[in-house]
Amino acid sequence: MKLFTSVHDVTDINSLAAEALALKQNPYAYKHLGENKTLGLVFLNPSLRTRMSTQKAAMNLGMNVMVLNIDKEGWALELRDGAIMNGTTVEHVREAAAVMGQYVDIIGVRSFPGLKDREEDYSETIFNKFVDFCGVPVVSLESATRHPLQSLADLVTITELKTRRRPKVVLTWAPHIKPLPQAVPNSFAEWMCKADVEFTIAHPEGYELNADFTNGATITHNQDEALADADFIYVKNWSAYEPYGKVLPGNEDWMLTNEKLKGTNDAKVMHCLPVRRNLELSDEILDGPNSVVVHEAGNRVWAAQAVLKHMLEAL
Ligand code: CP
């Protein structure tokens, strides 16, 4: 594997999830693979889970890891081709990415969307510049439109905890005060559409995701109906795709509560984290027996390790 940016970079998602679960049982089985190899993690935005879990995964494989919070610690980056750099930017991504590729064997990049220009965000301009110029394999640590390491960890969690062969999985929109990217729901949807699950997306009117990511899902505006008999509920806020990046008024009653869990198959509740308590998800859910959010975050290590193992094997 030379590139991990979406579900389309994976030949068999079920065997990758199974591999992640095998690594969970035997974390150091491939410690020799990463000997004298270096992973570079480049963050243009904040992170707790992605940063620490990917570092841990690399260390389990025997790799060295270098982290650069380029938004805070690097030179101000120019992304526009042909720019006359007489303003605040100091270094062009063409040189910055190419130089990083001299120091490391694999690069991970996190780059959020601006949520102002849909065309620019959905063309993945920033992420693709790193891919084009760094000269080494690239793993997405969340891009403008997708978060594939999170989605693989989510598939691993569902595979591990399911009690029915083909569980019902519901992605439900949740309230938030700020416009958030569509990357996590887009990505979760495209992975679930390929997984062996019954997949439903529930959201208020106006929060339709880009149809490219949801082909095969059942989509409804009725949250109660969607949650009926659910085995897994994936809670996530996202801003509107049209009008792009906007928070629409109302919909506070979409926050999941214990009352809403009553019609489910004792559903396990997932969230990628970070989560705003009592806005996106209630205390009673997060502190209750149905929440698996911390377990899910723990599985980020094994998802990242499975992907890095494939990348090391292809070097
Ligand atoms: N879920 C997730 O990606 O968390 P971080 O933003 O903390 O990495």
Side-chain angles (χ1 to χ4, degrees), residues 10 30 58 102 130 198 202 229 257:
V10 180
Y30 296 90
Q102 300 291 304
F130 276 91
E198 182 190 334
D229 206 31
T257 57

Side-chain angles (χ1 to χ4, degrees), residues 106 125 158 183 188 197 213 237 252 273:
I106 299 171
T125 316
I158 290 166
F188 184 72
V197 301
F213 298 88
N237 170 270
E252 289 80 9
L273 304 181

